[in-house]
Amino acid sequence: MHVIALANQKGGVGKTTTAVNLAGELARRKQRVLIIDCDPQGNATTSLGIAKRDLKATTYDVLMGLSHAEEVVLPTGRSGYDIIPASEHLAGAMVELTAVEEREWQLAQALRPLEEMYDWILLDCPPSLGLLTLNALCAASHVLIPLQCEYLALEGLAQLKGTIDRVREHLNSRLSIIGVVMTMYDGRTNLAQQVVEEVRRHFPHRIFNTLIPRSVRVSEAPSYGQLIFEYDPQSRAAQSYNALADEVLRRLVEKGSA
Ligand SMILES: Nc1ncnc2c1ncn2[C@@H]1O[C@H](COP(=O)(O)OP(=O)(O)OP(=O)(O)O)[C@@H](O)[C@H]1O
Ligand SMILES: [Mg+2]
């Protein structure tokens, strides 16, 4: 089982969009996929068409040891694609966990019983490097970093890399960065091309070849509870998430760990 944390403390860079759509592409390849919404905003939950007010148990209950992870799993209505949803309750976990021993390991421990059930677990992190993201990094085998194609995209990346390095050194030695994916790419602007080139210089081996284009269709899909593949399968954005899934699979196979 591969556990991939989608992390970037910058807000609105495409973590959730990438998490739900990449999970969808993996599920279409007959992989068993679970997405865990680790963000009190619950955007992954809503994007998949799940109403937050109806939830009986969420990631909060899993983190606090109140429910077993397998009891909190919900189907998303797609074959091989489940979710552990989140709601604003999760914000409380950050405070309440502070007093718990081994607080950064709560998620990792809770996920152990799921190992036989899924091929992939994708962790949609909140826009911070707090305890929720730390739990995700301790539970993960890989980090996937979405980066928006904009000025200052690299700002904050050093801090994120520093956090990942510290987690690897002190907490989770198996953690590695699977790649950086550039999102909201607009090839018509020089700026977007320059940002991609700059990121390529910094991370020649890590940046994915696939660029996720900026597309209104991508931002519309969640309001229908749909993935981009369902909402507009012919779109370039749908094709790009398909290509990203291929690259993710290839990278793990090349590493000999898939
Ligand atoms: N390729 C794209 N083209 C156009 N809009 C996009 C694209 N990807 C994401 N968006 C939109 O940008 C906004 C932010 O995306 P998303 O929620 O995935 O980012 P995030 O990093 O998860 O945000 P947060 O940090 O708040 O969790 C959303 O409104 C989303 O619909
Ligand atoms: Mg998000």
Side-chain angles (χ1 to χ4, degrees):
M1 184 176 70
H2 304 290
V3 183
I4 300 187
L6 287 101
N8 187 340
Q9 77 277 21
K10 235 183 212 285
V13 297
K15 292 180 289 294
T16 302
T17 305
T18 301
V20 297
N21 285 294
L22 176 60
E25 289 303 317
L26 292 168
R28 287 212 298 135
R29 288 162 175 73
K30 305 276 182 276
Q31 304 280 306
R32 299 167 302 169
V33 187
L34 174 69
I35 190 160
I36 303 183
D37 195 339
C38 299
D39 184 352
Q41 297 180 99
N43 292 154
T45 303
T46 313
S47 297
L48 290 166
I50 294 166
K52 282 187 279 193
R53 62 177 182 284
D54 301 334
L55 298 173
K56 291 202 177 62
T58 65
T59 306
Y60 171 83
D61 301 272
V62 174
L63 270 176
M64 300 307 297
L66 302 171
S67 303
H68 294 297
E70 59 270 36
E71 298 164 359
V72 184
V73 166
L74 293 178
T76 68
R78 299 160 181 91
S79 174
Y81 189 167
D82 295 339
I83 183 170
I84 293 183
S87 68
E88 67 280 359
H89 286 305
L90 189 52
M94 289 222 272
V95 182
E96 291 163 45
L97 278 177
T98 312
V100 173
E101 244 178 81
E102 301 209 314
R103 52 185 179 266
E104 55 280 272
W105 289 106
Q106 298 303 302
L107 186 62
Q109 281 163 10
L111 298 190
R112 244 169 242 150
L114 301 178
E115 262 169 41
E116 298 299 311
M117 294 170 62
Y118 295 99
D119 303 306
W120 302 81
I121 296 183
L122 269 54
L123 308 171
D124 183 29
C125 294
S128 87
L129 293 174
L131 206 41
L132 291 170
T133 296
L134 205 54
N135 263 272
L137 294 178
C138 284
S141 51
H142 298 88
V143 195
L144 197 162
I145 305 173
L147 213 61
Q148 193 178 341
C149 292
E150 56 157 26
Y151 185 59
L152 301 181
L154 282 166
E155 200 108 314
L157 200 56
Q159 194 191 1
L160 176 58
K161 266 203 83 214
T163 300
I164 293 167
D165 288 342
R166 273 196 301 283
V167 167
R168 192 187 295 123
E169 205 171 309
H170 300 292
L171 294 164
N172 178 10
S173 58
R174 70 174 184 150
L175 187 66
S176 70
I177 299 177
I178 183 166
V180 175
V181 61
M182 305 302 299
T183 64
M184 303 182 222
Y185 178 76
D186 184 348
R188 293 168 305 180
T189 68
N190 288 334
L191 177 64
Q193 293 171 20
Q194 282 163 12
V195 171
V196 171
E197 272 158 33
E198 193 176 350
V199 174
R200 273 214 180 101
R201 271 201 301 279
H202 276 76
F203 300 98
H205 305 299
R206 298 242 173 83
I207 186 167
F208 286 106
N209 290 324
T210 306
L211 304 170
I212 308 297
R214 180 177 284 284
S215 146
V216 181
R217 309 296 276 166
V218 172
S219 53
E220 286 170 351
S223 61
Y224 298 93
Q226 288 190 331
L227 305 173
I228 184 63
F229 167 75
E230 295 158 348
Y231 185 62
D232 190 351
Q234 303 305 327
S235 63
R236 280 207 306 130
Q239 288 164 17
S240 70
Y241 274 113
N242 184 16
L244 180 66
D246 283 339
E247 270 198 85
V248 165
L249 283 164
R250 219 177 302 132
R251 282 194 185 192
L252 288 177
V253 172
E254 274 166 17
K255 281 186 164 179
S257 54

